[in-house]
Amino acid sequence: MGHLDGKVAVVTGAGQGVGQGIALALAADGASVAVLGRTAGKLDTTCALLRERGATAEPFVLDVLDTERLPAAVDAVAERFGRIDILVNNAYTGCYGPLLSLSDEQFRRGFDSGPFAAFALMKAAHPHLKRDGGGTIVNLVTSAMVRWDLSTYGAYAAAKSALRSLTRAAANEWGRDGIRVNAIAPHATSPAYAGWQEAHPEEAAEFCASIPLGYVGDCEQDIGRAVAMLCGPGARYLTGATIPLDGGQANFG
């Protein structure tokens, strides 16, 4: 028996990396999972992994940039599973680089896939989360928001900072509806991190050495398990927080 038995979770960007790790961890604690993302093959892979562990899982192909379609996607999940208890806004398609190298379209894309997509999904999920006795939302942000040196991370941090503020506002406004809303700022061994590590081995080694615990987190065991804890009854009095899942590197004080 898991502490999320009978719960239904929606996880965006769940075809790989952190999203997949979160989906696996939620399922390990008993949740059924709606696996959302852009690439059908990757969603099928995640669903297969979940089903191998005895979980109920269904894929839903969508691009969070298409914000007008997001409410219908939430309704489709609710129709398929009968309820929604957990929403994890993980998907993000942004840009990195010096500010003067970025186009307006690139900058806007980070906001469209980040806070705008999360806003659409959160609003659409609200009546389901409220109706079923109180649900949980977890939004993924970044420790880049509090770095003293934001060079090349400005657009990314700006979009995620907006999402962090949205998290806090929703926690305040929806607390009386029984809905808890938190954010996490993870370091994880995602495909994106692996690609960066391969391309910049010396910088990656320095980065890892700067983490007090000495390693970059595992997508399921370090990040997913923490999200599962946040969604369970043991964290029932925690809302509006930004939790750095980064081995102690960032200072959110």
Side-chain angles (χ1 to χ4, degrees), residues 42-229:
K42 292 181 179 180
L43 302 184
D44 290 339
T45 296
T46 297
C47 286
L49 292 172
L50 291 165
R51 291 166 184 156
E52 286 175 4
R53 301 186 183 194
T56 300
E58 293 291 340
F60 294 83
V61 178
L62 85 163
D63 188 339
V64 294
L65 286 168
D66 191 357
T67 54
E68 292 184 358
R69 288 188 55 217
L70 298 184
V74 170
D75 290 341
V77 171
E79 182 177 356
R80 168 63 182 82
F81 287 95
R83 60 188 293 149
I84 295 174
D85 304 278
I86 298 165
L87 170 64
V88 180
N89 286 306
N90 164 68
Y92 172 78
T93 305
C95 59
Y96 308 89
L99 295 177
L100 292 178
S101 73
L102 305 178
S103 67
D104 291 351
E105 181 180 356
Q106 288 175 310
F107 188 80
R108 188 177 298 111
R109 185 181 182 88
F111 279 82
D112 287 341
S113 65
F116 279 101
F119 183 52
L121 288 164
M122 290 164 65
K123 286 195 300 179
H126 177 275
H128 303 286
L129 298 171
K130 178 182 178 181
R131 182 186 63 216
D132 292 323
T136 305
I137 299 171
V138 178
N139 294 324
L140 272 73
V141 293
T142 176
S143 59
M145 299 181 303
V146 296
R147 286 180 59 156
W148 71 269
D149 176 12
L150 273 176
S151 298
T152 75
Y153 292 100
Y156 176 53
K160 292 296 189 176
S161 293
L163 182 55
R164 185 188 185 192
S165 294
L166 177 63
T167 298
R168 182 66 184 173
N172 278 264
E173 294 182 14
W174 297 352
R176 296 301 176 91
D177 297 328
I179 300 172
R180 296 187 298 108
V181 192
N182 291 294
I184 63 168
H187 287 338
T189 53
S190 64
Y193 174 80
W196 175 75
Q197 184 181 38
E198 183 177 352
H200 307 279
E202 293 183 4
E203 186 178 353
E206 292 177 2
F207 172 77
C208 189
S210 72
I211 298 173
L213 288 182
Y215 71 98
V216 177
D218 179 79
C219 291
E220 179 182 357
Q221 296 303 319
D222 294 310
I223 310 308
R225 296 298 304 151
V227 171
M229 180 275 293

